[in-house]
Amino acid sequence: MTRALTSPDTPPAAPSLDRLVALVAPDMAAVNQIILDRMQSPVALIPQLASHLIAAGGKRLRPLITLAAAQLCGYQGSRHQKLAACVEFIHTATLLHDDVVDDSLLRRGAASANAIFGNKSSVLVGDFLFSRAFQLMVEDGSLRVLAVLSEASAVIAEGEVHQLLTTGDLETTEAQYLEVISAKTAVLFAAAAEVGAVVADRPEDEIQALRRFGTNLGVAFQLIDDALDYAASEAALGKTVGDDFREGKVTLPVILAYARGNAKERAFWHRTIEELEQTDADLATAQTLIEKYGTVRETVARARTVGEAAKAELARFPDLPIRSSLMEAIDFAVSRGY
């Protein structure tokens, strides 16, 4: 009789991106080369700053989604490689701009580009990367692809402006919050998945299913990010814990805690979020209130629900290793830090 390698009490392995990365490894190697080639410029600061971002790491989840969606749809060409690089350039450009807007000093656990090179350089190199992304779109030659990715770029910018308008506004509703994260985060996940199906020339129902998969994955991803800002260690989060609080961002954990708080607690949120009058002890108080009302746990629970909706969109596709690896990617996105 063969002995079991693990006992019934052995906890299952934590979800990871390892299988997904392995399944698209040849394509990702090509994407990385495209990224390196297109970061080059005779203006020395541009490749220096871009190389700093590459060296900082990152899971490249969005381009992974493009490559995996194309593979799931049976695509055999190479167009998806340039488009995955395009998606990563859009994402990286938005990170550069976001860190300037938020005055962030850390990105993925290392000094942010603006902390090293300055705000002006970061904004301008972000513009350069956006330009590179549009060059890649044009080279692809598909008006459908150009429409999907250019629309995503516009919506991301709208989402960032919308978030700026809701910052410090405790009257922000859950619906408004979801509009913000759908625009600033989920739309690029959606576009990344959609173009993978577009290049494979799949039927419209499959294209839209992958777009909905990407949207739900992106919403779940951002919900977890917003929960982690109040619950994670800095090592796990890759940025300073409490950044959202210090910047007065009204995320779901705060919306729920404010709605459930008493008059004294609401006064605390008004002082710290709306007026941005904060002491060194206020983050701990905010975390205590969020724990009291279970709003991080509820945010995580909602992310898991949205993650299940993302999985449901994949059910129409063949039961292949790439599909199961995408399912695991969803589990990874909603289990980070937990």
Side-chain angles (χ1 to χ4, degrees):
M1 181 182 296
T2 303
R3 296 179 61 187
L5 295 178
T6 59
S7 74
D9 297 326
T10 302
S16 77
L17 297 176
D18 292 349
R19 282 205 303 157
L20 179 58
V21 169
L23 287 168
V24 301
D27 282 331
M28 184 54 80
V31 171
N32 288 335
Q33 189 58 54
I34 293 166
I35 289 171
L36 289 172
D37 291 344
R38 297 306 177 103
M39 287 192 317
Q40 299 310 307
S41 167
V43 181
L45 180 61
I46 291 174
Q48 286 175 11
L49 194 152
S51 295
H52 168 78
L53 293 172
I54 299 299
K59 298 173 181 64
R60 300 271 174 91
L61 182 54
R62 294 155 188 83
L64 280 172
I65 294 300
T66 297
L67 299 178
Q71 187 177 134
L72 182 65
C73 292
Y75 181 61
Q76 298 296 316
S78 61
R79 290 170 59 197
H80 62 318
Q81 296 168 356
K82 280 189 176 182
L83 295 178
C86 173
V87 166
E88 183 66 5
F89 278 143
I90 294 171
H91 174 56
T92 305
T94 62
L95 294 185
L96 282 168
H97 291 166
D98 289 353
D99 284 346
V100 170
V101 171
D102 296 339
D103 199 22
S104 297
L105 300 179
L106 288 176
R107 168 63 61 183
R108 295 166 181 155
S112 61
N114 54 298
I116 297 173
F117 298 96
N119 287 340
K120 293 178 181 179
S121 296
S122 293
V123 169
L124 293 173
V125 173
D127 292 344
F128 172 84
L129 294 179
F130 265 126
S131 299
R132 283 289 192 243
F134 278 89
Q135 286 176 330
L136 289 166
M137 293 179 216
V138 171
E139 288 173 19
D140 180 73
S142 165
L143 285 177
R144 175 73 181 268
V145 164
L146 182 60
V148 170
L149 291 173
S150 61
E151 173 69 11
S153 299
V155 172
I156 290 167
E158 289 174 343
E160 293 294 348
V161 174
H162 194 178
Q163 178 172 263
L164 196 61
L165 294 175
T166 61
T167 296
D169 183 3
L170 288 168
E171 298 305 312
T172 300
T173 65
E174 291 183 41
Q176 290 170 324
Y177 163 78
L178 288 171
E179 286 177 7
V180 168
I181 66 172
S182 294
K184 79 183 191 74
T185 300
V187 71
L188 189 56
F189 279 88
E194 183 176 357
V195 295
V198 169
V199 297
D201 198 25
R202 300 305 302 164
E204 191 64 27
D205 63 327
E206 292 186 14
I207 292 173
Q208 292 307 316
L210 279 171
R211 181 174 183 85
R212 290 191 297 270
F213 152 76
T215 298
N216 286 318
L217 175 58
V219 169
F221 189 93
Q222 188 61 53
L223 283 167
I224 294 296
D225 261 15
D226 292 346
L228 286 173
D229 195 69
Y230 287 93
S233 68
E234 290 188 11
L237 188 58
K239 63 178 184 178
T240 309
V241 169
D243 272 353
D244 290 349
F245 175 73
R246 281 182 283 270
E247 293 159 14
K249 288 183 180 177
V250 182
T251 58
L252 188 59
V254 171
I255 290 171
L256 297 174
Y258 176 72
R260 296 167 186 175
N262 58 36
K264 181 179 179 181
E265 292 163 350
R266 287 189 171 206
F268 166 83
W269 291 116
H270 279 289
R271 175 175 63 80
T272 57
I273 296 294
E274 289 197 340
E275 299 170 14
L276 282 183
E277 293 181 4
Q278 298 179 5
T279 69
D280 290 342
D282 283 338
L283 175 60
T285 301
Q287 291 170 319
T288 297
L289 293 176
I290 280 170
E291 175 65 23
K292 174 182 177 180
Y293 292 107
T295 67
V296 160
R297 291 192 298 274
E298 184 165 339
T299 301
V300 172
R302 294 194 191 189
R304 288 176 176 153
T305 298
V306 177
E308 291 303 311
K311 288 182 179 181
E313 297 295 345
L314 296 176
R316 72 180 64 221
F317 294 93
D319 187 10
L320 300 170
I322 193 67
R323 190 185 79 167
S324 61
S325 73
L326 283 169
M327 296 282 195
E328 188 173 6
I330 298 167
D331 291 334
F332 167 80
V334 300
S335 65
R336 291 170 299 136
Y338 294 94

